[in-house]
């Protein structure tokens, strides 16, 4: 009888001991719900003189488990929200980085296009300036050549008029004959006779 009584009491004591909860902070929500189901399944009426003690321990354990489950759900919700915010921030940062990269590429392309445009304008300006300088040099050379031709022509006319005057005054030639003679000499059509200009 003592042995049976000891076993009976040990069985009730084991149930009572099972209601002493281990640390709950490390349990997941699913583990806490499984623990609530296990404790809820204990019927104090099945435990004879331990019924009152088991009922108090069961009620206390269920209250503690309910609070732990609510806390775990809040922690999980906060963690999920934090993860969602982290992912949202990462996506936003990636989008901003991509937009900045695109803006930088567009700015670099615009700067390159502006550099090419400026270089083309500079080359065109230099080419126009060179063409203008070349044209001015050519015009100046032509003007100088024309001035020299005009001076040479005036010099030749002066010498030719002096020769015509000498031929008419010293040899009695008519002016028309003297002009014709000086013209033939100037053209080199009279052998061995030249005019020194």
């Amino acid at each position: 009888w003592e042995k049976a009584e000891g076993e009976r009491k040990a069985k009730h004591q084991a149930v009572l001991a099972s209601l002493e909860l281990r640390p709950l902070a490390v349990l997941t929500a699913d583990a806490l719900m499984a623990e609530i189901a296990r404790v809820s399944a204990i019927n104090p009426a099945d435990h004879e003189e331990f019924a009152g003690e088991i009922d108090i321990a069961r009620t206390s354990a269920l209250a503690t488990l309910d609070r732990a489950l609510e806390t775990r759900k809040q922690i999980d919700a906060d963690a999920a929200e934090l993860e969602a915010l982290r992912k949202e921030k990462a996506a936003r940062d990636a989008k901003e980085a991509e937009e900045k990269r695109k803006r930088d590429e567009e700015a670099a392309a615009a700067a390159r296009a502006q550099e090419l445009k400026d270089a083309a304008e500079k080359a065109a300006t230099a080419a126009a300036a060179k063409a203008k300088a070349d044209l001015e040099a050519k015009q100046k050379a032509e003007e100088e050549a024309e001035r020299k031709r005009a001076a040479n022509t005036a010099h030749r006319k002066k010498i030719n008029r002096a020769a015509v005057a000498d031929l008419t005054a010293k040899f009695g030639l008519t002016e028309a004959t003297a002009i014709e003679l000086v013209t033939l000499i100037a053209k080199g059509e009279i052998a061995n006779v030249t005019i020194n200009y």
Side-chain angles (χ1 to χ4, degrees), residues 24-25 27-37 61-77:
L24 302 176
L27 297 180
T28 65
D30 289 341
L32 286 168
M33 286 191 288
E35 192 68 7
I36 289 171
L62 285 173
T64 301
L65 286 167
D66 284 342
R67 283 193 307 274
L69 180 60
E70 288 305 311
T71 301
R72 171 52 58 195
K73 285 181 178 177
Q74 185 61 50
I75 289 170
D76 290 349

Side-chain angles (χ1 to χ4, degrees), residues 145-197:
E146 182 58 35
R147 186 191 62 73
K148 285 182 179 179
R149 274 193 300 276
N152 189 34
T153 302
H155 176 67
R156 286 175 173 261
K157 282 184 180 181
K158 179 179 173 187
I159 290 174
N160 288 347
R161 277 194 303 273
V164 168
D166 283 349
L167 288 173
T168 55
K170 294 181 182 175
F171 296 102
L173 297 176
T174 64
E175 188 173 342
T177 304
I179 289 173
E180 191 174 332
L181 181 60
V182 169
T183 300
L184 291 172
I185 293 170
K187 288 182 179 179
E189 294 183 9
I190 297 178
N192 300 317
V193 178
T194 59
I195 299 175
N196 290 326
Y197 293 103

Side-chain angles (χ1 to χ4, degrees), residues 107-168:
R112 179 69 180 136
Q114 187 62 45
E115 286 176 11
L116 292 173
K117 181 181 175 187
D118 292 347
E121 288 176 358
K122 187 176 179 181
T125 302
K130 184 179 182 319
K132 182 179 178 185
D134 290 349
L135 180 62
E136 288 175 355
K138 183 180 176 185
Q139 287 175 342
K140 187 174 180 182
E142 287 175 357
E143 288 171 1
E144 182 62 22
E146 182 58 35
R147 186 191 62 73
K148 285 182 179 179
R149 274 193 300 276
N152 189 34
T153 302
H155 176 67
R156 286 175 173 261
K157 282 184 180 181
K158 179 179 173 187
I159 290 174
N160 288 347
R161 277 194 303 273
V164 168
D166 283 349
L167 288 173
T168 55

